[in-house]
Amino acid sequence: MKELEIPKSHPRYRSLIIREKVVDGFRRGIVVPEGLIAHGRGEAFDYILGEKSWDFAIEAEKATVAWLLTASKPVISVNGNYAALAAREIGELARLTGAIVEVNLFYRTEDRVARIVDFLKQNGVDSVLDADCEKERISGLESPRGIVCRDGIWSADFVLLAMEDGDRTEAIKRMGKIVSAIDLNPFSRTAQTADITIVDEALRATNNMIKMAKTLGKMSKEELENIKKNYDNVEALKASFRVIFSRLNEASRKGLI
Amino acid sequence: MKELEIPKSHPRYRSLIIREKVVDGFRRGIVVPEGLIAHGRGEAFDYILGEKSWDFAIEAEKATVAWLLTASKPVISVNGNYAALAAREIGELARLTGAIVEVNLFYRTEDRVARIVDFLKQNGVDSVLDADCEKERISGLESPRGIVCRDGIWSADFVLLAMEDGDRTEAIKRMGKIVSAIDLNPFSRTAQTADITIVDEALRATNNMIKMAKTLGKMSKEELENIKKNYDNVEALKASFRVIFSRLNEASRKGLI
């Protein structure tokens, strides 16, 4: 499948493997060309952030896991890029937290929904709300962008999404859901709109949340409620901008970073 | 062609339309996959800059138009991304200033040159130096990256280029040309090497220059020479970094921007 094996010794091995996952998804018809562009944008922010999970991301991931574990109906909304990057990991996170997985696309075609569902199932995600679910429409979004599953996002109280369009994030918020968004760009409307913004790369973030779910899954409801209550998203966003700022500041003094 | 029309009500309508142009170019075989990722990287900088033409960009665009109007042989060098974004506008700018349009590619294949020439012609660019031009080779660049037209870049005194590779920008500079470069990333080697750096989105920049060409076209040679003389590219680069810096500083204080 891959044209080129990337040597593990390559300093940017992980980032290149992640890019290969997206390109592979593109070849499978899971990722649209717009998704490649979006990935390039994310890569630029990840470079500036130093390609690591910062404390503000860890805190946001922890709060997200606490919500996944305590919500009445938590849903993980999966688009082409998120599936390509972390199919197996999404399944594991869903199993550990009891969340429902729903395929939900900005550039929606029923064919692409089916391809993504197949890909998720191949990667061990047993239960996925798919093109056959009973449909509802989110108000304020033109069809087919507004289509969701009645037993998924429509009736969820908490939605985790990744690399999502700002319009859709806002519309889901307007429906009264609590939203956690994985987005490397803290300027994006999705990042600015979400209740919890995870400024981190999606695969890294999901792997972190899998580890956390194993620990937090043993905590009492009260402890989890405390984690939720103590999380401050404006502080997390500020911290993400501060890191971008100080990394650029440092780079502007040193030149060679 | 498009799977989905983007509603005009979308707050980031313009940015998404621009992205669609690049994707459309990709589907036409004009833009290479690397061009999609490069576009995403540019989007990241455009987010940080607030997706607008700042004063430093306007000044650089004005100086570029003054050069286009006064140079003995001005050339607009067009690659896949620039053609996909602004074919019609490139033609209008060339007509208003008398510049020559040359298709010149980093990932050069004669087939892709022909596709881009066709696309430009479909969009009203009547005269384009194409794959049939008499060829020369820029020294210091491996073939086919170094191929240019004798009646175009080879003998130009001024070259406007967009989203160009740093190696090629440097090689064109070494040939003694004055170079103006459109590049959203002021850190890039192209941005750092050019005589005039336009830190602006390419379609926005070209539309600005079309308007300016109509006004500056009526000015005396002396007035145009004054615009050229008074332009300071190091100041423009500094100003672009200052905007990035202050936007990030503000964001890191506020969190919500």
Side-chain angles (χ1 to χ4, degrees):
Chain A
M1 174 65 63
K2 277 176 237 163
E3 284 171 13
L4 187 73
E5 292 296 319
I6 297 158
K8 287 210 175 172
S9 60
H10 194 293
R12 295 192 59 254
Y13 174 77
R14 274 201 79 262
S15 175
L16 293 175
I17 287 292
I18 287 169
R19 184 187 286 182
E20 275 311 303
K21 280 175 181 274
V22 179
V23 172
D24 183 50
F26 176 67
R27 293 199 184 108
R28 289 172 188 269
I30 289 175
V31 171
V32 287
E34 290 82 353
L36 294 181
I37 294 177
H39 186 74
R41 189 173 68 213
E43 275 187 2
F45 281 101
D46 210 17
Y47 254 108
I48 299 176
L49 288 163
E51 298 178 337
K52 59 172 263 187
S53 298
W54 289 86
D55 47 0
F56 53 79
I58 300 287
E59 291 306 312
E61 287 152 9
K62 199 181 285 177
T64 299
V65 173
W67 269 101
L68 286 170
L69 288 166
T70 55
S72 307
K73 196 174 203 175
V75 170
I76 304 176
S77 175
V78 179
N79 61 15
N81 281 44
Y82 196 23
L85 286 170
R88 201 179 50 74
E89 292 78 7
I90 290 165
E92 199 172 344
L93 184 60
R95 268 191 303 278
L96 286 165
T97 60
I100 294 165
V101 176
E102 175 172 347
V103 174
N104 198 268
L105 307 179
F106 183 82
Y107 295 99
R108 184 185 185 100
T109 65
E110 296 312 308
D111 177 59
R112 197 156 72 92
V113 172
R115 280 172 202 261
I116 294 171
V117 169
D118 282 352
F119 184 71
L120 290 170
K121 290 190 172 168
Q122 282 164 34
N123 282 279
V125 189
D126 347 290
S127 172
V128 188
L129 283 175
D130 59 14
D132 296 329
C133 72
E134 204 176 331
K135 307 281 196 331
E136 291 286 351
R137 201 151 287 182
I138 305 177
S139 72
L141 287 180
E142 283 160 57
S143 178
R145 289 201 295 146
I147 296 172
V148 290
C149 294
R150 172 177 290 198
D151 292 335
I153 291 172
W154 182 257
S155 50
D157 53 343
F158 178 81
V159 180
L160 167 62
L161 40 79
M163 298 150 285
E164 185 53 271
D165 169 66
D167 253 17
R168 281 164 40 102
T169 305
E170 282 182 358
I172 291 170
K173 278 279 295 172
R174 273 199 303 274
M175 290 169 76
K177 323 294 186 195
I178 303 291
V179 173
S180 171
I182 304 174
D183 197 325
L184 274 162
N185 173 8
F187 286 96
S188 80
R189 216 145 43 83
T190 287
Q192 293 277 317
T193 302
D195 298 284
I196 303 173
T197 308
I198 299 172
V199 183
D200 201 355
E201 190 278 317
L203 178 56
R204 256 182 354 237
T206 311
N207 273 321
N208 291 341
M209 289 191 283
I210 288 169
K211 276 185 217 145
M212 290 168 184
K214 289 173 185 168
T215 317
L216 271 66
K218 293 173 196 153
M219 285 186 182
S220 69
K221 176 128 173 69
E222 202 189 336
E223 286 173 294
L224 295 174
E225 290 298 333
N226 269 332
I227 290 172
K228 286 157 67 174
K229 207 176 62 193
N230 291 329
Y231 178 75
D232 183 336
N233 204 48
V234 175
E235 281 307 316
L237 284 168
K238 283 186 195 172
S240 72
F241 286 119
R242 271 200 304 273
V243 167
I244 292 175
F245 186 72
S246 66
R247 292 252 314 158
L248 286 171
N249 194 12
E250 194 185 348
S252 73
R253 281 184 294 108
K254 291 188 183 168
L256 298 175
I257 52 176
Chain B
M1 174 66 62
K2 279 177 238 163
E3 285 171 11
L4 187 76
E5 293 297 321
I6 295 159
K8 288 213 173 168
S9 60
H10 196 293
R12 295 193 57 254
Y13 175 77
R14 272 201 78 264
S15 176
L16 292 175
I17 286 293
I18 287 169
R19 182 187 288 185
E20 275 313 302
K21 282 175 181 274
V22 179
V23 171
D24 183 51
F26 175 67
R27 295 205 177 103
R28 288 171 188 271
I30 289 174
V31 171
V32 286
E34 291 81 356
L36 293 180
I37 292 178
H39 184 76
R41 200 170 51 221
E43 278 188 358
F45 281 99
D46 211 15
Y47 256 104
I48 298 177
L49 288 163
E51 297 179 336
K52 58 172 267 189
S53 298
W54 289 88
D55 48 359
F56 53 80
I58 301 287
E59 291 306 313
E61 287 152 10
K62 200 181 282 176
T64 300
V65 173
W67 268 102
L68 286 170
L69 288 166
T70 54
S72 307
K73 195 174 206 173
V75 170
I76 304 176
S77 175
V78 179
N79 61 13
N81 281 43
Y82 196 23
L85 286 170
R88 201 179 51 73
E89 291 77 8
I90 290 164
E92 199 171 344
L93 183 61
R95 270 192 302 278
L96 287 165
T97 60
I100 293 165
V101 176
E102 175 173 346
V103 174
N104 200 268
L105 307 180
F106 183 83
Y107 295 99
R108 185 184 183 102
T109 64
E110 296 312 309
D111 176 60
R112 195 156 74 93
V113 172
R115 280 172 202 260
I116 294 172
V117 169
D118 282 351
F119 184 71
L120 290 170
K121 290 190 172 168
Q122 283 164 32
N123 281 280
V125 189
D126 347 293
S127 173
V128 188
L129 285 175
D130 60 16
D132 297 331
C133 73
E134 204 175 332
K135 307 282 195 331
E136 291 285 352
R137 201 152 288 186
I138 306 176
S139 71
L141 288 181
E142 283 160 56
S143 177
R145 289 200 295 148
I147 295 171
V148 290
C149 295
R150 171 177 292 198
D151 292 335
I153 290 171
W154 183 258
S155 51
D157 53 345
F158 177 81
V159 180
L160 167 62
L161 41 80
M163 297 151 286
E164 185 54 271
D165 168 67
D167 257 14
R168 280 163 41 102
T169 304
E170 282 181 0
I172 292 170
K173 277 279 296 172
R174 273 198 305 273
M175 290 168 76
K177 323 298 186 191
I178 303 289
V179 173
S180 170
I182 303 174
D183 198 324
L184 274 163
N185 174 7
F187 288 94
S188 80
R189 215 145 42 87
T190 286
Q192 294 278 321
T193 303
D195 297 284
I196 302 174
T197 307
I198 299 172
V199 182
D200 202 355
E201 190 279 318
L203 178 56
R204 256 183 352 238
T206 311
N207 272 322
N208 290 342
M209 288 191 282
I210 287 169
K211 275 185 217 144
M212 290 168 184
K214 289 173 186 169
T215 317
L216 271 66
K218 294 172 194 152
M219 287 186 181
S220 69
K221 177 129 175 66
E222 203 188 335
E223 287 173 294
L224 295 174
E225 291 298 335
N226 268 330
I227 290 171
K228 287 157 65 175
K229 208 178 59 194
N230 292 328
Y231 177 76
D232 183 336
N233 204 48
V234 175
E235 282 306 315
L237 283 169
K238 281 187 196 171
S240 72
F241 286 118
R242 273 200 303 273
V243 166
I244 290 175
F245 212 69
S246 68
R247 291 251 312 156
L248 286 169
N249 193 15
E250 197 185 330
S252 67
R253 282 186 292 104
K254 290 185 183 171
L256 298 174
I257 50 174

